[in-house]
């Protein structure tokens, strides 16, 4: 469907806006974003004529890849705006699979996916699906003999988009969080045009359409829900290289200056436990207790990596993890 809207159309956000997230200055988690999938293959247009008659039309979604990539772009923008994430975007699923299971994580979300891309240092994967896409309009000046042609006249309309958003721990494949979000945008317009041969998501007019604005509202709502919960998940990163000589014992770590970890920070070094997987369902149930290896102190921050001096411990390996030590009493 090509949606033609006048520049003077008045768009009104429907429903209550999500609560504003508190300011955040802590360490930024590195996230990988996948293209959105469609849990639906059609979207619904409901039109009500001045006479009260209603017509429902199911429109096939033909540009699924373009739509999924577009919503993923919106997700990347909102994640960066939250100031809680460094975002690594992979739209190609084959390449994205390499970011999963940094230590061979098994389970529903990472089974069979390549473990060799642990150099990404990503902590979480965000995967989404579009579960609802609808457009409801009420015309006040003309009848609707057939919805398959151009429709004109004064109208009130509401676009609705629903998404599901999952956050997956890349290490274990465990689903850390799953949220549902709805975006609704209403508008009043004196003219509307529709052609039902497939919506063109690449057109610049789409960005200003109610459907696009409803998508962004749904994504913003989903990100705020995810952030509020992930703030309680400890930040982690990876050991990229171990360098132990007579002069110095150093760890090269897979986070850089943008991660909000200051020089002088003491980090705990540990080896993550293996995922515990249900042998019948393949569901990740949890993870073995991590093995604490020692501590290090950040000495140097570079754009993409940092260098830390080993303070205590031994048997460090590339692929081990680092985190902020738990606070006393916690």
């Amino acid at each position: 469907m090509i949606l033609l809207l006048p520049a003077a159309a008045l768009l009104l956000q429907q429903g209550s806006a999500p609560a504003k997230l508190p300011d955040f200055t802590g360490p930024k988690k590195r996230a990988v974003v996948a293209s959105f999938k469609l849990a639906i293959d059609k979207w619904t247009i409901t039109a009500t004529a001045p006479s009260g008659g209603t017509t429902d039309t199911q429109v096939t979604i033909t540009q699924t890849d373009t739509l999924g990539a577009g919503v993923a772009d919106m997700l990347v923008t909102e994640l960066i705006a939250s100031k809680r994430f460094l975002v690594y975007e992979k739209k190609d699923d084959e390449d994205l699979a390499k970011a999963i299971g940094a230590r061979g994580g098994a389970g529903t979300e990472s089974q069979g996916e390549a473990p060799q891309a642990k150099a990404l240092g990503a902590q979480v994967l965000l995967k989404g699906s579009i579960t609802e896409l609808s457009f409801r309009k009420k015309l006040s000046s003309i009848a609707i003999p057939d919805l398959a042609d151009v429709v004109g006249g004064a109208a009130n309309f509401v676009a609705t988009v629903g998404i599901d958003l999952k956050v997956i721990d890349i290490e274990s494949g465990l689903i850390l969080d799953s949220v549902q979000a709805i975006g609704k945008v209403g508008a009043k317009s004196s003219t509307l045009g529709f052609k039902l041969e497939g919506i063109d998501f690449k057109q610049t007019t789409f960005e200003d359409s109610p459907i696009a604005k409803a998508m962004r509202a749904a994504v913003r709502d989903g990100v705020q829900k995810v952030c509020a919960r992930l703030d309680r998940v400890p930040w982690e990163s990876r050991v990229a290289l171990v360098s132990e000589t007579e002069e110095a014992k150093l760890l090269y770590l897979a986070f850089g200056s943008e991660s909000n970890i200051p020089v002088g920070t003491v980090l705990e070094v540990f080896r993550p436990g293996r995922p515990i997987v249900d042998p019948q369902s393949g569901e990740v149930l949890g993870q073995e207790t991590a093995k604490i290896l020692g501590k290090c102190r950040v000495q140097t921050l570079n754009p993409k990596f940092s260098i830390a001096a080993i303070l205590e411990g031994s048997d460090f390996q590339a692929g081990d993890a680092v985190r902020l030590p738990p606070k006393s009493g916690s």
Side-chain angles (χ1 to χ4, degrees):
M1 167 177 286
I2 298 176
L3 177 61
L4 306 175
L5 291 174
L10 175 63
L11 296 175
L12 304 172
Q13 185 75 30
Q14 300 293 310
S16 58
K20 182 181 178 181
L21 289 168
D23 292 338
F24 184 82
T25 57
K28 295 182 180 180
K29 299 179 178 72
R30 185 153 186 174
V32 178
V33 172
S35 288
F36 271 60
K37 303 299 183 183
L38 268 69
I40 52 175
D41 59 2
K42 293 179 174 63
W43 66 308
T44 303
I45 298 175
T46 301
T48 303
S51 61
T54 298
T55 302
D56 288 330
T57 300
Q58 298 289 318
V59 182
T60 300
I61 301 172
T62 57
Q63 300 180 46
T64 55
D65 291 343
T66 304
L67 175 58
V71 182
D73 287 342
M74 293 180 182
L75 178 58
V76 169
T77 299
E78 293 300 327
L79 289 171
I80 293 173
S82 75
K83 299 181 180 180
R84 286 159 166 79
F85 298 95
L86 298 175
V87 183
Y88 182 90
E89 184 181 14
K90 274 293 185 183
K91 296 180 181 178
D92 181 63
D93 287 340
E94 183 177 346
D95 288 342
L96 177 63
K98 298 177 183 179
I100 311 301
R103 295 177 59 84
T108 304
E109 296 296 336
S110 59
Q111 203 162 24
E113 293 172 320
Q116 61 263 41
K118 59 187 176 184
L120 286 177
Q123 185 174 350
V124 293
L125 164 69
L126 288 98
K127 296 177 67 173
S129 60
I130 300 172
T131 57
E132 181 182 357
L133 194 59
S134 64
F135 193 87
R136 181 180 297 272
K137 64 181 183 293
K138 184 176 181 180
L139 298 167
S140 58
S141 61
I142 65 170
I144 309 176
D146 187 352
L147 193 62
D149 203 351
V150 175
V151 176
N156 296 330
F157 51 94
V158 176
T160 303
V161 175
I163 65 170
D164 284 354
L165 189 59
K166 288 192 291 188
V167 185
I168 301 157
D169 180 84
I170 287 183
E171 171 65 28
S172 66
L174 186 67
I175 298 176
L176 299 175
D177 201 359
S178 180
V179 301
Q180 294 179 322
I182 295 289
K184 287 188 177 183
V185 169
K188 295 181 179 180
S189 174
S190 58
T191 58
L192 281 174
F194 290 90
K195 294 181 181 179
L196 300 187
E197 62 268 19
I199 189 166
D200 189 348
F201 296 103
K202 293 182 179 179
Q203 286 199 354
T204 55
T205 53
F206 175 69
E207 277 296 315
D208 294 325
S209 72
I211 286 289
K213 291 179 182 295
M215 285 179 181
R216 191 171 295 281
V219 169
R220 183 175 294 115
D221 180 38
V223 167
Q224 294 210 356
K225 289 176 179 176
V226 165
C227 288
R229 300 178 192 182
L230 279 186
D231 282 351
R232 300 190 293 269
V233 176
W235 170 88
E236 294 179 4
S237 189
R238 295 281 168 180
V239 175
L241 178 69
V242 180
S243 176
E244 296 191 63
T245 65
E246 292 183 1
E247 291 78 20
K249 296 182 178 181
L250 303 173
L251 299 179
Y252 290 78
L253 306 176
F255 66 87
S257 52
E258 293 184 350
S259 293
N260 280 357
I261 298 291
V263 169
T265 301
V266 174
L267 301 173
E268 186 175 69
V269 187
F270 67 99
R271 187 159 300 152
R274 295 171 298 178
I276 301 169
V277 181
D278 187 308
Q280 291 183 312
S281 67
E283 179 185 0
V284 179
L285 306 176
Q287 204 167 6
E288 285 182 319
T289 302
K291 179 182 178 182
I292 306 301
L293 302 175
K295 292 182 179 180
C296 65
R297 177 181 287 114
V298 178
Q299 287 188 331
T300 305
L301 289 170
N302 293 284
K304 292 187 177 181
F305 69 95
S306 60
I307 304 172
I310 297 172
L311 300 178
E312 59 183 69
S314 60
D315 190 31
F316 302 108
Q317 299 174 10
D320 289 336
V322 294
R323 64 189 175 197
L324 295 170
K327 295 180 180 178
S328 178
S330 61

